[in-house]
Amino acid sequence: MSEQPRVLASRQKFATEAQRQVLPYEPVCALFRRYLHGQKLKFTPERAMILDAALRKQGLFEPEQLVSDLKAAGHRASRATVYRTLNHLQDAGILKQVFFDNKQSYYEVIAGRQVHDYLICVATGKVIEFHSEKLRQLRDEICQQHGFEPLSHRFQILGLSPEGKKQAGQRPGRAS
Amino acid sequence: MSEQPRVLASRQKFATEAQRQVLPYEPVCALFRRYLHGQKLKFTPERAMILDAALRKQGLFEPEQLVSDLKAAGHRASRATVYRTLNHLQDAGILKQVFFDNKQSYYEVIAGRQVHDYLICVATGKVIEFHSEKLRQLRDEICQQHGFEPLSHRFQILGLSPEGKKQAGQRPGRAS
DNA sequence: CTGATTGCAAACACTTTGCAGCAGA
DNA sequence: TCTGCTGCAAAGTGTTTGCAATCAG
């Protein structure tokens, strides 16, 4: 049970068109191929699989989730390749490393999607995403004051969600 | 050279009044003692030393810096105790874990100081701190829309500083 | 006195890296 | 064919934890 039988057809087609309803794969893949080509890097089935898996994700995800998603889909995906590909996807502007916590990093697809910022409940761990145009304006305003050219940002608000407020009667938790 | 002779007077007085010009130690220490007492924890020389070392820091610092500062000051400071104490200081509202990068976490003293947010140059690594009242207002506004009670936040803007713009002629770098 | 704290070293968890064989272009 | 890529396992790194001795209150 623990030694899941090795899937032999590891280099099979990675996802049928029908399964890909989450987000248009083709345009993003084309973008990725263009990036890879420009960098003299190669487009491989593994990279395609990993991009595909990332595009299926809604909102935040962790590298480890991609690994297990790919494994569940019957591909053997080496951790190393996932991590290496995440970096390429980030450089290609397809993913964003949204933030880190003590342990790990979290990614989000940004190509063709709206970027988000996050409310994180310190009581429940729940993560709420939001988008604020005002925030973006304020960000750019602040940058201008410092002669700084913004490329991206990370913004997380830590606090108590409505549910968190109830259950966090006593324990204030570590706010930041 | 590598085996620095063990300092015997490890439980000596940790800092003279004269050395503490950076920030008032006493009031913050009193705050810490109150917190510890309330939690039925003990005030130890190690904790005092670590608080003292943290208060000397201007802006951001990493746990490892405290370890080496303490070592340099002639105290043997175990990594474990530093980490444990950083957590207490955070719970006491004296420090804030400002953000994480791939590897480590960064702290800042907040007791009696203004909290900051950061501009991080992706080309030079330079960190510029700023404070924006507007940002705080916007943060609270966003929270209100979600019935969320803000406790703190982490905000970092990634981009190019004036110097970074020059030297980053070609390499865009990994923006986020 | 008694329970909390310390230092040490081992344990942890995520990420990166070296290498030999494999495979895009 | 010529590079670059993959998987594996080992190495790295910041942080946490178990434990016996020690100390604060």
mmCIF file of all heavy atoms in Angstrom, chain B residues 10-31:
data_model
loop_
_atom_site.group_PDB
_atom_site.id
_atom_site.type_symbol
_atom_site.label_atom_id
_atom_site.label_comp_id
_atom_site.label_asym_id
_atom_site.label_seq_id
_atom_site.Cartn_x
_atom_site.Cartn_y
_atom_site.Cartn_z
ATOM 1 N N SER B 10 30.013 33.644 32.405
ATOM 2 C CA SER B 10 28.894 33.690 31.463
ATOM 3 C C SER B 10 27.653 34.324 32.068
ATOM 4 O O SER B 10 26.800 34.811 31.368
ATOM 5 C CB SER B 10 28.571 32.285 30.992
ATOM 6 O OG SER B 10 28.217 31.509 32.127
ATOM 7 N N ARG B 11 27.571 34.292 33.357
ATOM 8 C CA ARG B 11 26.377 34.881 33.963
ATOM 9 C C ARG B 11 26.699 36.247 34.575
ATOM 10 O O ARG B 11 26.058 36.678 35.524
ATOM 11 C CB ARG B 11 25.787 33.932 35.001
ATOM 12 C CG ARG B 11 25.215 32.707 34.350
ATOM 13 C CD ARG B 11 24.218 31.952 35.173
ATOM 14 N NE ARG B 11 23.517 31.004 34.307
ATOM 15 C CZ ARG B 11 22.226 31.076 34.049
ATOM 16 N NH1 ARG B 11 21.488 32.026 34.572
ATOM 17 N NH2 ARG B 11 21.661 30.190 33.266
ATOM 18 N N GLN B 12 27.661 36.879 33.985
ATOM 19 C CA GLN B 12 28.026 38.214 34.432
ATOM 20 C C GLN B 12 26.934 39.223 34.058
ATOM 21 O O GLN B 12 26.008 38.902 33.337
ATOM 22 C CB GLN B 12 29.333 38.635 33.750
ATOM 23 C CG GLN B 12 29.120 38.865 32.258
ATOM 24 C CD GLN B 12 30.423 38.855 31.488
ATOM 25 O OE1 GLN B 12 31.402 38.292 31.918
ATOM 26 N NE2 GLN B 12 30.407 39.489 30.326
ATOM 27 N N LYS B 13 27.088 40.428 34.543
ATOM 28 C CA LYS B 13 26.167 41.491 34.126
ATOM 29 C C LYS B 13 26.258 41.636 32.610
ATOM 30 O O LYS B 13 27.330 41.542 32.032
ATOM 31 C CB LYS B 13 26.551 42.808 34.793
ATOM 32 C CG LYS B 13 26.117 42.914 36.236
ATOM 33 C CD LYS B 13 24.986 43.910 36.347
ATOM 34 C CE LYS B 13 24.230 43.860 37.662
ATOM 35 N NZ LYS B 13 24.768 43.008 38.684
ATOM 36 N N PHE B 14 25.155 41.880 31.974
ATOM 37 C CA PHE B 14 25.141 41.761 30.513
ATOM 38 C C PHE B 14 25.380 43.036 29.753
ATOM 39 O O PHE B 14 25.814 43.006 28.628
ATOM 40 C CB PHE B 14 23.826 41.150 30.061
ATOM 41 C CG PHE B 14 22.655 41.676 30.810
ATOM 42 C CD1 PHE B 14 22.023 42.818 30.399
ATOM 43 C CD2 PHE B 14 22.208 41.013 31.946
ATOM 44 C CE1 PHE B 14 20.945 43.302 31.097
ATOM 45 C CE2 PHE B 14 21.112 41.504 32.652
ATOM 46 C CZ PHE B 14 20.480 42.647 32.231
ATOM 47 N N ALA B 15 25.131 44.153 30.362
ATOM 48 C CA ALA B 15 25.407 45.397 29.649
ATOM 49 C C ALA B 15 25.386 46.542 30.640
ATOM 50 O O ALA B 15 24.499 46.632 31.486
ATOM 51 C CB ALA B 15 24.370 45.640 28.569
ATOM 52 N N THR B 16 26.351 47.389 30.526
ATOM 53 C CA THR B 16 26.382 48.530 31.440
ATOM 54 C C THR B 16 25.423 49.590 30.953
ATOM 55 O O THR B 16 25.091 49.648 29.775
ATOM 56 C CB THR B 16 27.785 49.150 31.492
ATOM 57 O OG1 THR B 16 28.040 49.754 30.230
ATOM 58 C CG2 THR B 16 28.832 48.095 31.763
ATOM 59 N N GLU B 17 25.000 50.429 31.867
ATOM 60 C CA GLU B 17 24.068 51.488 31.479
ATOM 61 C C GLU B 17 24.654 52.338 30.366
ATOM 62 O O GLU B 17 23.973 52.740 29.436
ATOM 63 C CB GLU B 17 23.749 52.383 32.681
ATOM 64 C CG GLU B 17 22.811 51.748 33.689
ATOM 65 C CD GLU B 17 21.469 51.376 33.083
ATOM 66 O OE1 GLU B 17 20.978 52.127 32.214
ATOM 67 O OE2 GLU B 17 20.911 50.341 33.462
ATOM 68 N N ALA B 18 25.941 52.601 30.477
ATOM 69 C CA ALA B 18 26.581 53.496 29.517
ATOM 70 C C ALA B 18 26.505 52.977 28.089
ATOM 71 O O ALA B 18 26.437 53.749 27.142
ATOM 72 C CB ALA B 18 28.046 53.686 29.895
ATOM 73 N N GLN B 19 26.490 51.656 27.946
ATOM 74 C CA GLN B 19 26.479 51.098 26.597
ATOM 75 C C GLN B 19 25.115 51.185 25.933
ATOM 76 O O GLN B 19 24.988 51.007 24.742
ATOM 77 C CB GLN B 19 26.888 49.624 26.665
ATOM 78 C CG GLN B 19 28.344 49.439 27.037
ATOM 79 C CD GLN B 19 28.667 47.978 27.195
ATOM 80 O OE1 GLN B 19 28.060 47.278 28.000
ATOM 81 N NE2 GLN B 19 29.608 47.505 26.391
ATOM 82 N N ARG B 20 24.122 51.441 26.735
ATOM 83 C CA ARG B 20 22.751 51.365 26.226
ATOM 84 C C ARG B 20 22.191 52.701 25.808
ATOM 85 O O ARG B 20 21.260 53.203 26.379
ATOM 86 C CB ARG B 20 21.831 50.831 27.326
ATOM 87 C CG ARG B 20 21.885 49.363 27.489
ATOM 88 C CD ARG B 20 20.704 48.962 28.348
ATOM 89 N NE ARG B 20 21.090 47.879 29.213
ATOM 90 C CZ ARG B 20 21.170 47.980 30.518
ATOM 91 N NH1 ARG B 20 20.903 49.120 31.104
ATOM 92 N NH2 ARG B 20 21.519 46.946 31.222
ATOM 93 N N GLN B 21 22.759 53.255 24.781
ATOM 94 C CA GLN B 21 22.271 54.558 24.349
ATOM 95 C C GLN B 21 21.264 54.424 23.219
ATOM 96 O O GLN B 21 20.635 55.381 22.826
ATOM 97 C CB GLN B 21 23.440 55.414 23.874
ATOM 98 C CG GLN B 21 24.773 54.795 24.206
ATOM 99 C CD GLN B 21 25.903 55.784 24.237
ATOM 100 O OE1 GLN B 21 25.704 56.962 24.036
ATOM 101 N NE2 GLN B 21 27.081 55.303 24.492
ATOM 102 N N VAL B 22 21.152 53.252 22.710
ATOM 103 C CA VAL B 22 20.356 53.082 21.505
ATOM 104 C C VAL B 22 18.871 53.286 21.723
ATOM 105 O O VAL B 22 18.215 53.989 20.988
ATOM 106 C CB VAL B 22 20.593 51.689 20.893
ATOM 107 C CG1 VAL B 22 19.812 51.555 19.620
ATOM 108 C CG2 VAL B 22 22.061 51.482 20.643
ATOM 109 N N LEU B 23 18.363 52.648 22.749
ATOM 110 C CA LEU B 23 16.932 52.774 23.024
ATOM 111 C C LEU B 23 16.759 52.513 24.501
ATOM 112 O O LEU B 23 17.460 51.692 25.078
ATOM 113 C CB LEU B 23 16.158 51.723 22.231
ATOM 114 C CG LEU B 23 14.664 52.001 22.130
ATOM 115 C CD1 LEU B 23 14.340 52.522 20.746
ATOM 116 C CD2 LEU B 23 13.873 50.772 22.444
ATOM 117 N N PRO B 24 15.847 53.200 25.105
ATOM 118 C CA PRO B 24 15.648 52.960 26.539
ATOM 119 C C PRO B 24 15.406 51.491 26.798
ATOM 120 O O PRO B 24 14.464 50.903 26.297
ATOM 121 C CB PRO B 24 14.423 53.806 26.869
ATOM 122 C CG PRO B 24 13.816 54.198 25.570
ATOM 123 C CD PRO B 24 14.943 54.199 24.591
ATOM 124 N N TYR B 25 16.262 50.924 27.605
ATOM 125 C CA TYR B 25 16.144 49.503 27.899
ATOM 126 C C TYR B 25 15.129 49.265 29.002
ATOM 127 O O TYR B 25 14.293 48.371 28.902
ATOM 128 C CB TYR B 25 17.522 48.982 28.306
ATOM 129 C CG TYR B 25 17.525 47.585 28.856
ATOM 130 C CD1 TYR B 25 17.519 46.497 27.994
ATOM 131 C CD2 TYR B 25 17.536 47.355 30.236
ATOM 132 C CE1 TYR B 25 17.528 45.202 28.501
ATOM 133 C CE2 TYR B 25 17.549 46.071 30.739
ATOM 134 C CZ TYR B 25 17.535 44.994 29.881
ATOM 135 O OH TYR B 25 17.545 43.733 30.373
ATOM 136 N N GLU B 26 15.210 50.086 30.007
ATOM 137 C CA GLU B 26 14.401 49.812 31.198
ATOM 138 C C GLU B 26 12.912 49.653 30.945
ATOM 139 O O GLU B 26 12.315 48.660 31.357
ATOM 140 C CB GLU B 26 14.663 50.873 32.277
ATOM 141 C CG GLU B 26 16.069 50.829 32.860
ATOM 142 C CD GLU B 26 16.491 49.422 33.330
ATOM 143 O OE1 GLU B 26 15.616 48.566 33.541
ATOM 144 O OE2 GLU B 26 17.703 49.179 33.453
ATOM 145 N N PRO B 27 12.303 50.619 30.278
ATOM 146 C CA PRO B 27 10.851 50.476 30.093
ATOM 147 C C PRO B 27 10.459 49.227 29.308
ATOM 148 O O PRO B 27 9.483 48.573 29.641
ATOM 149 C CB PRO B 27 10.456 51.746 29.332
ATOM 150 C CG PRO B 27 11.714 52.319 28.813
ATOM 151 C CD PRO B 27 12.796 51.872 29.710
ATOM 152 N N VAL B 28 11.242 48.914 28.318
ATOM 153 C CA VAL B 28 10.911 47.727 27.529
ATOM 154 C C VAL B 28 11.143 46.468 28.342
ATOM 155 O O VAL B 28 10.364 45.510 28.294
ATOM 156 C CB VAL B 28 11.735 47.678 26.222
ATOM 157 C CG1 VAL B 28 11.309 46.498 25.381
ATOM 158 C CG2 VAL B 28 11.571 48.972 25.449
ATOM 159 N N CYS B 29 12.199 46.508 29.114
ATOM 160 C CA CYS B 29 12.487 45.370 29.972
ATOM 161 C C CYS B 29 11.365 45.169 30.981
ATOM 162 O O CYS B 29 10.946 44.043 31.250
ATOM 163 C CB CYS B 29 13.818 45.578 30.684
ATOM 164 S SG CYS B 29 14.332 44.160 31.631
ATOM 165 N N ALA B 30 10.876 46.270 31.499
ATOM 166 C CA ALA B 30 9.770 46.187 32.456
ATOM 167 C C ALA B 30 8.547 45.552 31.797
ATOM 168 O O ALA B 30 7.861 44.715 32.394
ATOM 169 C CB ALA B 30 9.429 47.584 32.972
ATOM 170 N N LEU B 31 8.320 45.961 30.571
ATOM 171 C CA LEU B 31 7.211 45.392 29.804
ATOM 172 C C LEU B 31 7.377 43.885 29.667
ATOM 173 O O LEU B 31 6.434 43.109 29.853
ATOM 174 C CB LEU B 31 7.202 46.055 28.420
ATOM 175 C CG LEU B 31 6.150 45.627 27.406
ATOM 176 C CD1 LEU B 31 4.769 45.971 27.898
ATOM 177 C CD2 LEU B 31 6.424 46.296 26.069
#
